Amino acid sequence: MTSPRISLLFCLTLLLAGCAGASTHKPVPEMTVQEAVVKGYGPNIRYLGDEAPADLAHIIQRRIGQYQAAHADYFKTHGKYPAMNYLALSGGGDNGAFGAGLLHGWSAAGTRPDFTIVTGVSTGALIAPFAFLGRDYDPQLKESYTTMSSENIFLGSASTFLDGLTGGMALTDNTPLEKMIEKNVTPEMFRQIAEEHRKGRRLLIGTTNLEMQRSVIWDIGTLANSANPDAIKLFRQILLASSAIPGAFKPVFFDVTAAGKTYSEIHVDGGVTAQVFLYPLQTVADEKTLFEKAGIPRNLYIIRNAKIVPEYQTMTPRLMDLSQRSIETLIKNQGIGDLYKLYAGGQRDGINYNMIYIPQDFTETPKEMFDRDYMSKLFYYGEAMAKKEIPWQHTPPSYALVEQGIAPPTAVVPAQ
C-alpha cells in the first residue's frame, strides 16, 4: 500500500530484528533467475518491468490488430479509430481513496473513457480491476474506499509484533486484506477480465521481486485466459503481493520452476521499485511509428495517489519522527521521478500525457493508519473534483507547479 506510516514499521524491523530462522525458502539460483516461470503457467503471464520483451514489436502489432478489429464499426462510421486511453494508478496507501473517488466522479460526469490499458501498483493495484472493468464496478469501488479501515487491512497484536521483531516476516497480520481481496475478486470479475483481454485490452499489476531488486509486471488478462483452474487464486496472490509492504506485511511466495527444478520467489509491494508505471521504457520497438501507421492516437492518464509539493513541517528530533519523515520524503520524491519517466516515455512514443495528484487545498490528516473518516473525506473530495472537471496537468511536476504559481521558474528543468 506504500504508506509512510506503515513503512516506518519496516525501519523498526531492520533495527530490532533478532537472528531467529526465517520460514523455509528455496531461492532461485542467480544464473537461472531470468528463466523462472510460475509453476503451472507459461512465461507469458509476466515480464520484468525494466526490460522489454524481445518480441515487443510482434506484441504491439497483435494488440493493434485486436484493437482495430474491436473498433471496425467505429472506423466505418468515422473514417478513423478512436484513441487508445491508458490509465496508470499509483501507490499511496490510504490515499488510494483519492483515485477511487476521482474515478467514481469521472463516471458521474459522463466523461470517463474506456481504458485500453490499466496498470496498478500497491493501493493502485487494488483499484485497477474495478477501473479496468468500468462504471459497472463503481459501487464496489466506492464501498471499498469509504468503508475501509485498519481492521480491514491488518491485525496487530503483541505476539505478532514480537514475532516480527525476533525473526518473523512481518510486524502485523494482513489476513483481513487477503480476505477482502478474495471477496472483491470474484469468478465473474475474472471471467470479464479474460473477455476484455481478448478484445486487445490489458490489465497489468506491478510487484517487486525482492531478491532480484527488480519490478515484475503481471499480465492479468493472459493469466485469466490460461487453462489453469487455480488462475484466480494466483491473481489474488498477485494483488496481495503488490500491496505487501516489507516489514509491515508478509511477503508473498510464488512457486516457480527454473532449469527443471522447483524454487520460490519473494515478492513485495510494487511501490518498492515503481510508484507508478505503464510499460518497460527500455523498448526495442518504434512504438510511435507503429501506432501512427495504424492511425491510433494514444492518451495516458496518471492518478498519483499522493501530494507532490514539498510540505514544511517542524519536527522533534527523535528516532521515530526522523525515520517516518525520511521515508515519507523518499516515497514522495521517488514518485516524482516515476512521473518524469512516464513523461519521457510518452514524449518518445507519441502518447499524450495527463497527470493528477492530491492538491494542496485538501488539508485533512488521518488520525491513524487507514482512518475511515479521512479516507471517506478524500474519496468525496476526488469525486467532487471529477464531477466538476479534472484539472489534468500535461507536464511533470516541476513544470506543472510553475504553471500553477506554486514553484518558481528556476525549478523547471530545461527541455533537452
Side-chain angles (χ1 to χ4, degrees):
M1 305 289 274
T2 326
S3 166
R5 294 180 298 280
I6 300 181
S7 296
L8 179 58
L9 299 178
F10 180 43
C11 287
L12 291 174
T13 305
L14 293 176
L15 290 168
L16 302 174
C19 300
S23 296
T24 302
H25 165 55
K26 187 178 181 182
V28 183
E30 185 175 0
M31 68 285 295
T32 60
V33 69
Q34 294 206 56
E35 302 173 22
V37 296
V38 179
K39 194 172 182 179
Y41 300 88
N44 59 343
I45 65 167
R46 65 179 192 168
Y47 49 92
L48 292 170
D50 57 4
E51 181 179 304
D55 60 342
L56 180 60
H58 174 70
I59 292 172
I60 292 172
Q61 292 283 24
R62 186 174 69 244
R63 186 174 300 162
I64 287 174
Q66 290 174 317
Y67 189 80
Q68 289 175 325
H71 294 86
D73 290 340
Y74 185 97
F75 184 83
K76 289 178 182 178
T77 302
H78 301 278
K80 62 181 181 178
Y81 291 105
M84 277 190 179
N85 296 298
Y86 301 158
L87 175 66
L89 297 158
S90 85
D94 43 17
N95 283 330
F98 172 71
L102 197 81
L103 287 166
H104 200 269
W106 203 355
S107 292
T111 54
R112 175 176 158 186
D114 294 324
F115 299 107
T116 306
I117 296 178
V118 175
T119 73
V121 169
S122 201
T123 192
L126 301 181
I127 298 171
F130 298 123
F132 180 74
L133 293 176
R135 302 165 187 78
D136 289 346
Y137 280 84
D138 281 358
Q140 292 95 314
L141 184 61
K142 179 178 180 179
E143 180 183 0
S144 292
Y145 279 87
T146 57
T147 63
M148 184 186 297
S149 60
S150 58
E151 58 262 28
N152 301 129
I153 305 298
F154 65 90
L155 300 173
S157 67
S159 60
T160 303
F161 192 83
L162 181 61
D163 179 66
L165 294 179
T166 56
M169 291 185 290
L171 298 177
T172 68
D173 177 1
N174 63 338
T175 299
L177 175 59
E178 189 170 8
K179 290 180 178 179
M180 185 180 78
I181 291 172
E182 184 176 357
K183 174 187 173 185
N184 288 338
V185 178
T186 64
E188 175 59 17
M189 169 186 275
F190 203 48
R191 185 197 65 76
Q192 290 178 2
I193 291 171
E195 181 180 340
E196 292 304 312
H197 180 86
R198 293 192 294 271
K199 299 176 184 177
R201 301 181 64 212
R202 299 293 180 264
L203 173 60
L204 308 174
I205 301 299
T207 65
T208 297
N209 183 319
L210 204 53
E211 288 172 313
M212 290 182 73
Q213 291 190 321
R214 299 176 74 176
S215 63
V216 175
I217 298 175
W218 299 79
D219 185 338
I220 306 305
T222 296
L223 174 63
N225 279 286
S226 71
N228 195 312
D230 291 329
I232 190 171
K233 295 179 182 178
L234 178 57
F235 178 32
R236 291 165 177 162
Q237 288 299 102
I238 292 166
L239 292 178
L240 188 65
S242 186
S243 52
I245 301 167
F249 301 156
K250 291 184 297 183
V252 173
F253 293 82
F254 293 106
D255 291 332
V256 299
T257 58
K261 296 183 178 180
T262 300
Y263 304 97
S264 63
E265 294 176 346
I266 303 175
H267 285 243
V268 297
D269 194 324
V272 172
T273 44
Q275 284 294 308
V276 64
F277 76 96
L278 182 57
Y279 50 70
L281 295 179
Q282 295 79 1
T283 184
V284 292
D286 185 354
E287 290 203 18
K288 183 176 182 179
T289 299
L290 290 172
F291 279 95
E292 284 180 348
K293 285 184 177 179
I296 302 174
R298 295 185 291 167
N299 302 309
L300 169 61
Y301 297 93
I302 305 166
I303 299 178
R304 177 68 178 115
N305 291 303
K307 292 182 178 179
I308 65 172
V309 176
E311 300 169 278
Y312 182 78
Q313 176 181 306
T314 58
M315 296 184 61
T316 302
R318 296 179 302 200
L319 173 63
M320 294 285 286
D321 294 336
L322 293 170
S323 298
Q324 179 170 323
R325 185 65 170 171
S326 297
I327 293 170
E328 180 181 283
T329 303
L330 174 66
I331 292 173
K332 175 176 285 190
N333 284 281
Q334 178 200 0
I336 291 173
D338 291 330
L339 295 175
Y340 267 91
K341 290 178 184 177
L342 291 181
Y343 180 75
Q347 290 287 293
R348 180 195 64 197
D349 297 338
I351 305 174
N352 298 315
Y353 183 94
N354 304 272
M355 179 266 295
I356 190 66
Y357 53 88
I358 302 175
Q360 291 303 103
D361 63 3
F362 182 78
T363 57
E364 298 288 337
T365 56
K367 298 179 177 61
E368 60 182 5
M369 293 184 291
F370 302 103
D371 179 344
R372 181 177 297 174
D373 183 57
Y374 169 81
M375 294 179 69
S376 183
K377 288 178 179 177
L378 184 54
F379 178 93
Y380 288 114
Y381 177 92
E383 181 184 53
M385 173 189 288
K387 284 181 177 179
K388 183 178 180 182
E389 184 177 3
I390 303 174
W392 295 107
Q393 305 299 319
H394 306 295
T395 51
S398 65
Y399 292 92
L401 297 181
V402 169
E403 291 171 357
Q404 298 172 72
I406 296 175
T410 53
V412 176
V413 179
Q416 300 298 316

